[in-house]
Amino acid sequence: SGLITFDPGFGNTGSCKSDITFVDGENGILHYRGYPIEELAEHGNFIETAWLLIFGELPLKEDLARFRALLCAEELIHEDLLHHFNGFPSHKSQPMAILSAVINALGSYHTDLYDIHNKSEFFLAVGKMISKVRTIAAFSYRKSIGRPFMYPDPDLSYCHNFLHMMFSIPNKHYDPPIEAVKALSLVFMLHADHEQNCSTSTVRMVGSTQANIFASVSAGICALWGKLHGGANAAVIDMLEQIKDGDITIDEYLEKVKKKECRLMGFGHRIYKSFDPRARILKKAADNLLQNGFNDQLLDIALELEEKAIADDYFTERKLYPNVDFYSGIILRALGIPVAMFTVMFAIGRLPGWIAHWYEDFENPTTRINRPRQIYTGQTQRNYIPIDFRK
Ligand code: CMC
């Protein structure tokens, strides 16, 4: 093992070459296909961003029209697939478990897309996944609250349609304010890609075996689930709620963090060492939303917590600043999304990135199966001991 480089957590390993997303962690810079995230956030929307990440260029009008038509055509899921939802326990169902299982099962309804041979098959797979993920996510929520599924409405935009499937009731369409639809699109867009994060690396890892795109993405969803990754957005809200409910004060919480009894959720990042540009955009958006009538005491707590943490040597020495998840949960709460769905929301947002990375590897003829080595620390060779002689 002398020739093997030990790199725990792959902090210094470039596992692939990629044209998709550029991150400069020292300076807080994030570009999707060369476009600064701030510009995309100001002028773009989630669907346009998805196209950009997957196909490499901002869409032309006709691209967007074609993409929207495909998303509309693909928004329903096969009725048989609905039985999968019933396999999960009522009321206690876990939306992330449902999402990864049903995305994987979705593949078996489209086995013709297990092997993709050309761009048009890929385009179809993209449309199916990006459209159906939102239906599956909303249905998983309806299942968890014991309500009937609300079918998609093809006249609505992507984000509006999602909110409709989440919150409409029979004969009464939920009609969200435009700010809510825009805020949701922004949250999705800011989560859409982030180079070789754990879930994306997982998608590429699984994809490198030539597993199909549905299975690869399903594995990515599982990787996202953990609270150090996508699960952080829900953990942030738990933390802020504990403070709001008076279980612990901000100062006490920070002391616990410094004693390493817990982590400050929504803080820190493997790459960003000055600030996370996504957090800056979301902080402003959360503030705007709350000024437009969506009240939430948790924002005040978050602001105070951030202020205290960034004035504290423990955090500055370790270059810990708010990350994308510190404020995203506050926006999702303002939109009425339950905390149990937060990581699912991250997954919907991250899907275009996973697809783009899966395809980049798929298209690249030099992609080898991903197969890291290890530093073996176990026993050296010893001889077998018959059971009667073991102590
Ligand atoms: N709170 C307290 N201390 C922290 C935190 C935190 N959130 N993050 C890192 N540290 C400390 C850590 O204890 C270590 O200190 P020491 O040198 O004394 O041992 C030092 O900072 C370096 O930590 P690390 O674990 O080597 O950092 P990493 O790059 O492996 O981890 C991270 C990155 C995001 C997993 C971590 O910062 C973390 O656990 N943050 C909280 C969870 C979170 O918000 N995750 C969302 C990340 S952004 C969206 C996404 O990727 O999903």
Side-chain angles (χ1 to χ4, degrees):
S1 64
L3 294 175
I4 297 170
T5 312
F6 181 47
D7 183 17
F10 304 123
N12 290 306
T13 298
S15 60
C16 61
K17 292 186 177 175
S18 182
D19 293 346
I20 303 169
T21 287
F22 171 75
V23 182
D24 171 350
E26 292 303 323
N27 297 303
I29 293 172
L30 169 61
H31 294 167
Y32 291 165
R33 300 281 188 186
Y35 294 100
I37 194 69
E38 292 78 8
E39 289 185 27
L40 292 168
E42 190 175 341
H43 306 292
N45 62 42
F46 176 58
I47 291 305
E48 189 181 66
T49 303
W51 181 284
L52 170 69
L53 286 168
I54 297 169
F55 300 110
E57 297 295 335
L58 285 168
L60 303 175
K61 276 190 188 144
E62 56 266 33
D63 296 329
L64 218 43
R66 205 155 59 90
F67 197 28
R68 286 196 190 283
L70 178 66
L71 295 177
C72 260
E74 293 295 342
E75 64 190 7
L76 284 167
I77 53 178
H78 195 289
E79 283 287 314
D80 289 349
L81 201 49
L82 295 182
H83 298 309
H84 288 259
F85 290 80
N86 293 330
F88 290 86
S90 306
H91 298 295
K92 279 193 292 178
S93 60
Q94 230 308 330
M96 282 299 273
I98 298 183
L99 189 68
S100 74
V102 178
I103 286 284
N104 200 359
L106 180 64
S108 56
Y109 287 76
H110 304 291
T111 47
D112 47 324
L113 297 175
Y114 273 177
D115 285 316
I116 288 173
H117 302 95
N118 51 46
K119 273 242 151 86
S120 64
E121 284 179 359
F122 176 60
F123 184 58
L124 191 58
V126 170
K128 284 188 189 302
M129 296 186 87
I130 292 192
S131 189
K132 292 181 201 302
V133 73
R134 133 196 88 152
T135 311
I136 296 167
F139 283 13
S140 74
Y141 169 62
R142 305 290 288 214
K143 160 83 183 158
S144 73
I145 57 168
R147 289 256 175 90
F149 299 140
M150 181 55 60
Y151 280 73
D153 177 344
D155 291 334
L156 301 178
S157 71
Y158 188 87
C159 291
H160 191 163
N161 207 349
F162 174 73
L163 293 171
H164 153 69
M165 285 187 272
M166 289 283 290
F167 302 125
S168 287
I169 49 176
N171 303 323
K172 196 165 189 323
H173 254 219
Y174 171 66
D175 201 10
I178 183 73
E179 294 85 17
V181 177
K182 279 192 171 162
L184 182 58
S185 172
L186 182 70
V187 169
F188 284 156
M189 190 194 304
L190 294 177
H191 284 88
D193 194 41
H194 212 245
E195 53 124 292
Q196 302 313 313
N197 58 86
C198 183
S199 56
T200 303
S201 298
T202 301
V203 171
R204 286 186 95 128
M205 173 75 97
V206 177
S208 80
T209 68
Q210 299 187 359
N212 68 76
I213 191 166
F214 301 94
S216 306
V217 164
S218 166
I221 293 169
C222 294
L224 187 73
W225 197 344
K227 70 175 182 307
L228 296 190
H229 191 8
N233 54 13
V236 169
I237 297 296
D238 281 352
M239 175 182 78
L240 297 177
E241 274 185 334
Q242 280 178 43
I243 296 171
K244 181 177 125 226
D245 294 346
D247 299 343
I248 189 163
T249 65
I250 291 180
D251 294 323
E252 285 164 356
Y253 201 96
L254 292 176
E255 281 314 307
K256 263 179 81 168
V257 170
K258 291 195 294 192
K259 282 192 224 141
K260 296 196 192 280
E261 287 169 22
C262 61
R263 287 199 163 192
L264 181 53
M265 300 313 287
F267 257 66
H269 197 275
R270 173 65 62 83
I271 299 179
Y272 291 121
K273 297 301 174 199
S274 57
F275 66 94
D276 177 339
R278 303 166 301 173
R280 283 203 172 164
I281 297 170
L282 282 180
K283 181 178 179 178
K284 224 164 103 200
D287 211 29
N288 277 346
L289 202 58
L290 298 195
Q291 277 172 18
N292 276 303
F294 298 81
N295 256 325
D296 195 340
Q297 209 189 325
L298 293 195
L299 180 63
D300 299 332
I301 297 173
L303 291 169
E304 197 184 329
L305 186 55
E306 177 187 345
E307 211 172 289
K308 288 196 161 157
I310 59 178
D312 190 312
D313 288 350
Y314 177 93
F315 296 95
T316 44
E317 275 162 14
R318 290 170 179 76
K319 301 188 172 165
L320 302 171
Y321 299 94
N323 60 49
V324 66
D325 287 327
F326 196 66
Y327 288 104
S328 65
I330 291 177
I331 296 183
L332 295 176
R333 255 169 73 96
L335 303 182
I337 309 285
V339 178
M341 285 291 288
F342 279 12
T343 310
V344 169
M345 305 302 286
F346 194 151
I348 301 175
R350 184 57 52 92
L351 181 57
W354 290 331
I355 293 173
H357 284 269
W358 183 89
Y359 194 62
E360 192 171 55
D361 257 355
F362 173 83
E363 256 200 328
N364 180 355
T366 67
T367 298
R368 300 169 77 196
I369 189 167
N370 284 4
R371 205 307 184 184
R373 298 301 309 274
Q374 64 171 11
I375 311 293
Y376 178 70
T377 55
Q379 299 279 353
T380 48
Q381 184 177 330
R382 45 192 179 160
N383 293 343
Y384 183 82
I385 306 169
I387 195 157
D388 290 341
F389 294 93
R390 290 179 207 160
K391 287 190 260 188

